[in-house]
Amino acid sequence: AQSVTQLGSHVSVSEGALVLLRCNYSSSVPPYLFWYVQYPNQGLQLLLKYTSAATLVKGINGFEAEFKKSETSFHLTKPSAHMSDAAEYFCAVRKGGNQGGKLIFGQGTELSVKP
Amino acid sequence: DADVTQTPRNRITKTGKRIMLECSQTKGHDRMYWYRQDPGLGLQLIYYSFDVKDINKGEISDGYSVSRQAQAKFSLSLESAIPNQTALYFCATSDSKPPYNEQFFGPGTRLTVL
């Protein structure tokens, strides 16, 4: 069965600092992994997705994530945080087999950016 | 115009009332989903529909029902609302082409049950 764990419900960084949001997954099949962002009072927006084409995935707004099979991780990074990055971030894994299409979400990580 | 719309955006109701949340999409997707979001719990799947005639329960379907009126419309009902159904509700869509099935979300409905 697939599952997702996000380490840290809240991360705070200074503007200009590195952003690192952690996601570990469990999957019995090759996973398809996603990062979504939720800005205040908005729905979820896709940041990036891992589709097995490349282990380093680039997304919108300067974010990227690296798929590491040996560590079952898909951590999200951004070299330099901006105030506008403050939001909640969700990692998700797609279920396979006859449950294909369903996503399992992590608990979310709220990112705060200090000036 | 938004691809996935939800109405209402905010609703306050009383315990025992029947509530319907509506979702419409213009993306032409076959698949639609209803989630609820509670702080610290992420998103939990309530119901999902892979086409008009295929409706399935998710992880937390008790107390909820759905109707897929058309490919573009998927409604969520709370037959008799209770306070612990106070949450943010999201509708999402995806196409049926494997393998990615990324989901596209509506703006959400904030429901408060007093």
Side-chain angles (χ1 to χ4, degrees), chain A residues 36 38 46 49 94 100-101, chain B residues 31 37 50 99 101-103:
Chain A
Y36 283 86
Q38 183 183 25
L46 183 68
K49 61 187 179 187
R94 174 189 174 278
Chain B
R31 300 180 174 190
Q37 183 183 21
F50 279 2
N101 303 120
E102 65 187 77
Q103 294 184 14

Side-chain angles (χ1 to χ4, degrees), chain A:
Chain A
Q2 289 96 336
S3 66
V4 172
T5 301
Q6 291 183 239
L7 301 177
S9 59
H10 190 98
V11 170
S12 182
V13 300
S14 298
E15 191 172 20
L18 171 72
V19 176
L20 171 61
L21 305 182
R22 300 177 187 273
C23 173
N24 287 90
Y25 70 90
S26 171
S27 178
S28 56
V29 297
Y32 293 102
L33 296 158
F34 306 84
W35 274 101
Y36 283 86
V37 60
Q38 183 183 25
Y39 298 106
N41 299 314
Q42 295 186 27
L44 279 71
Q45 178 183 0
L46 183 68
L47 264 181
L48 50 81
K49 61 187 179 187
Y50 169 70
T51 60
S52 76
T55 56
L56 183 63
V57 182
K58 295 187 183 298
I60 61 173
N61 301 336
F63 284 92
E64 61 183 35
E66 186 172 9
F67 173 72
K68 291 187 177 180
K69 184 178 179 180
S70 61
E71 299 178 7
T72 61
S73 69
F74 190 55
H75 300 332
L76 182 71
T77 60
K78 182 174 181 177
S80 177
H82 191 273
M83 296 296 291
S84 61
D85 295 326
E88 188 154 22
Y89 293 79
F90 293 93
C91 182
V93 63
R94 174 189 174 278
K95 297 191 79 169
N98 61 5
Q99 301 285 316
K102 291 172 61 179
L103 296 181
I104 299 173
F105 286 86
Q107 304 92 322
T109 298
E110 185 176 356
L111 175 66
S112 300
V113 182
K114 299 174 291 187

Side-chain angles (χ1 to χ4, degrees), chain B residues 12-31:
Chain B
I12 300 174
T13 191
K14 295 182 178 180
T15 297
K17 293 291 187 181
R18 184 178 188 274
I19 296 296
M20 179 180 285
L21 310 183
E22 298 186 339
C23 176
S24 295
Q25 54 112 347
T26 58
K27 299 189 75 66
H29 289 166
D30 293 328
R31 300 180 174 190

